[in-house]
Amino acid sequence: MIEEDFVPSPYMNEVEEGKVTYRSPSNIALVKYWGKKENQIPANPSISFTLDACATITSVSYKKRVRKTSNFSFDLFFEGSMKEEFKPKIETFFNRIENYLPFLKDYHFTIETANSFPHSSGIASSASGMSALALCLMYLERELSPNITTEFFTKKASFLARLGSGSACRSIEGDLVQWGNHESTEGSSDLYGIKFSNKVHTVFKNYQDTILLVDKGEKQVSSTVGHDLMRNHPFSEQRFAQAHENLTKLKSVFADGNLNEFIKIVESEALTLHAMMMTSLPYFVLMKPNTLQIINKIWAFRKSSKTNLCFTLDAGANVHVLYPEHEKKEVFQFIKNELVVYCQNGQYICDQIGFGAQKIIINKK
Ligand code: PMV
């Protein structure tokens, strides 16, 4: 599909008002997206586990305006309070997607959003937040144009979410989502995420992710800036090629359940992401001393216990500890005994692989 396929033909229905709520999860990349072209087109393909517990719940109430103006009209509430400071992000998002949702200026929207994870936990809410909002808007589009198929609905929601925050396009479905053109994946696209449809070994079906909150502060460098620094990065070409290769390798790992290979690829991807940050100009470091303490502890425990835990990182200091469900008891005991001490205020989140976003209620007036 191409961008133009997401521009709708004139709508068939008239819709005065309504309300919809979606719960959309966060995701954790195994092969990382780092570097982008114009319009949130990724410089390399990526794949992620969709999460379950870490999610955003967003309700959108919509009411037809008496007169359309040249501005968007919306109010934004975050965890019950009006948030003027979040509005520019939504405004930018609306501007980017207006061509694909031409009804946006016809309605006044009340957007109410809340996260399941603690506020300022250092966990990015852009993936879950933007995907939840994209789904609510798609719901309204389907009210206006009821012949939209479920397949198109899902694709377009991912396409729109991508324009809000790249990785958000991987939060619509579960349990594994791939995004970005990849030579050996049929149907892969730079425009939206697709559910990984090859064989997946049962060991990956209920993988665990314990998120260790090492540093809950504001990041010194945003991911937008980080992506941009890949444009003139001395290692960018090799990095982008490596992501393609790692994705190809991971596809066989998913099929045969080879956890040794899984660990090698996932940890290498995490460290490469941070190596890219450390070798950009200007360079920066998002890991903290406790991030490295945790990594070293994980390596030592893996060696001594012969379990299969590994780590991955996103663009921050927090550590995602990934492990198979059948090793949960032993690994979780180790996390509590030896890793939680490195978390800020001892905080961590127990999550696992999830199955995508869900509509919660429809409260039509
Ligand atoms: O979606 P963004 O622009 O916040 O970028 C996300 C980048 C990483 O989390 C570091 C990697 C990824 O693929 O999710």
Side-chain angles (χ1 to χ4, degrees):
M1 287 182 85
I2 55 168
E3 265 109 339
E4 282 65 38
D5 296 328
F6 295 108
V7 177
S9 343
Y11 295 126
M12 297 151 76
N13 282 1
E14 292 270 339
V15 175
E16 272 309 309
E17 60 183 315
K19 181 176 179 176
V20 62
T21 304
Y22 268 90
R23 179 185 194 276
S24 198
S26 184
N27 68 74
I28 181 69
L30 305 169
V31 172
K32 308 289 180 181
Y33 147 61
W34 197 243
K36 63 179 165 188
K37 307 174 196 162
E38 279 293 287
N39 297 328
Q40 311 269 90
I41 296 298
N44 65 260
S46 58
I47 190 164
S48 52
F49 274 152
T50 304
L51 295 181
D52 181 40
C54 288
T56 298
I57 296 179
T58 298
S59 295
V60 172
S61 309
Y62 41 94
K63 193 170 173 28
K64 195 107 190 229
R65 297 163 79 186
V66 184
R67 224 172 330 105
K68 185 170 177 167
T69 69
S70 57
N71 297 325
F72 299 113
S73 172
F74 65 95
D75 293 316
L76 186 78
F77 294 85
F78 178 68
E79 292 176 355
S81 332
M82 204 175 229
K83 282 276 180 221
E84 286 299 319
E85 62 269 36
F86 289 180
K87 284 182 90 173
K89 216 174 168 186
I90 306 293
E91 186 90 30
T92 307
F93 179 49
F94 278 7
N95 272 311
R96 283 190 195 153
I97 64 174
E98 194 192 3
N99 193 26
Y100 308 105
L101 296 179
F103 61 78
L104 284 179
K105 284 184 180 144
D106 296 337
Y107 290 89
H108 174 77
F109 297 101
T110 304
I111 305 167
E112 295 161 275
T113 183
N115 293 333
S116 67
F117 41 90
H119 185 45
S120 64
S121 56
I123 301 213
S125 59
S126 58
S128 51
M130 285 299 175
S131 53
L133 182 54
L135 282 159
C136 291
L137 296 172
M138 274 312 291
Y139 174 86
L140 173 53
E141 173 153 88
R142 195 162 50 186
E143 293 279 277
L144 294 161
S145 190
N147 52 4
I148 287 177
T149 64
T150 306
E151 194 194 338
F152 182 80
F153 181 96
T154 307
K155 270 199 182 135
K156 187 163 172 182
S158 174
F159 170 85
L160 297 172
R162 184 197 100 239
L163 291 167
S165 171
S167 59
C169 76
R170 298 188 312 238
S171 275
I172 306 290
E173 295 182 278
D175 43 355
L176 274 163
V177 179
Q178 202 175 318
W179 167 42
N181 285 334
H182 180 239
E183 51 291 345
S184 61
T185 308
E186 215 190 298
S188 61
S189 171
D190 281 348
L191 301 179
Y192 45 79
I194 56 167
K195 197 173 147 68
F196 182 77
S197 57
N198 288 26
K199 189 174 159 224
V200 179
H201 191 278
T202 49
V203 75
F204 294 113
K205 288 288 175 190
N206 44 13
Y207 233 67
Q208 304 293 301
D209 179 4
T210 304
I211 309 165
L212 305 176
L213 305 178
V214 171
D215 186 64
K216 303 190 287 163
E218 186 80 10
K219 277 187 272 179
Q220 353 117 243
V221 181
S222 71
S223 51
T224 311
V225 172
H227 284 295
D228 279 348
L229 290 174
M230 287 304 284
R231 284 179 208 268
N232 295 310
H233 196 289
F235 306 136
S236 60
E237 286 316 310
Q238 296 94 314
R239 161 59 198 151
F240 300 148
Q242 179 201 41
H244 279 265
E245 283 157 27
N246 280 343
L247 188 47
T248 306
K249 285 189 203 154
L250 255 192
K251 285 173 74 172
S252 355
V253 167
F254 285 132
D256 59 25
N258 184 339
L259 292 181
N260 275 335
E261 271 306 300
F262 177 78
I263 291 168
K264 269 193 228 160
I265 297 167
V266 168
E267 292 191 346
S268 162
E269 276 289 320
L271 294 178
T272 302
L273 168 72
H274 284 258
M276 290 300 112
M277 299 173 188
M278 291 186 224
T279 47
S280 330
L281 274 175
Y283 42 79
F284 58 105
V285 181
L286 295 183
M287 286 193 274
K288 296 284 178 195
N290 281 352
T291 312
L292 288 176
Q293 296 277 20
I294 291 169
I295 291 174
N296 281 306
K297 286 273 181 184
I298 287 175
W299 285 340
F301 179 74
R302 187 162 72 221
K303 201 164 175 200
S304 65
S305 67
K306 308 268 182 299
T307 51
N308 291 290
L309 82 167
C310 70
F311 70 87
T312 190
L313 308 166
D314 54 19
N318 296 335
V319 182
H320 289 247
V321 187
L322 304 177
Y323 50 98
E325 209 265 345
H326 68 261
E327 294 176 358
K328 187 171 175 174
K329 209 168 155 217
E330 195 176 353
V331 172
F332 191 57
Q333 200 57 49
F334 156 72
I335 291 175
K336 281 197 293 191
N337 292 347
E338 297 197 40
L339 302 185
V340 169
V341 61
Y342 299 110
C343 298
Q344 205 173 343
N345 307 326
Q347 275 188 293
Y348 60 92
I349 297 172
C350 293
D351 210 337
Q352 60 182 344
I353 217 166
F355 299 94
Q358 277 182 319
K359 183 152 87 264
I360 306 288
I361 44 156
I362 311 166
N363 187 9
K364 269 186 159 180
K365 286 182 196 158

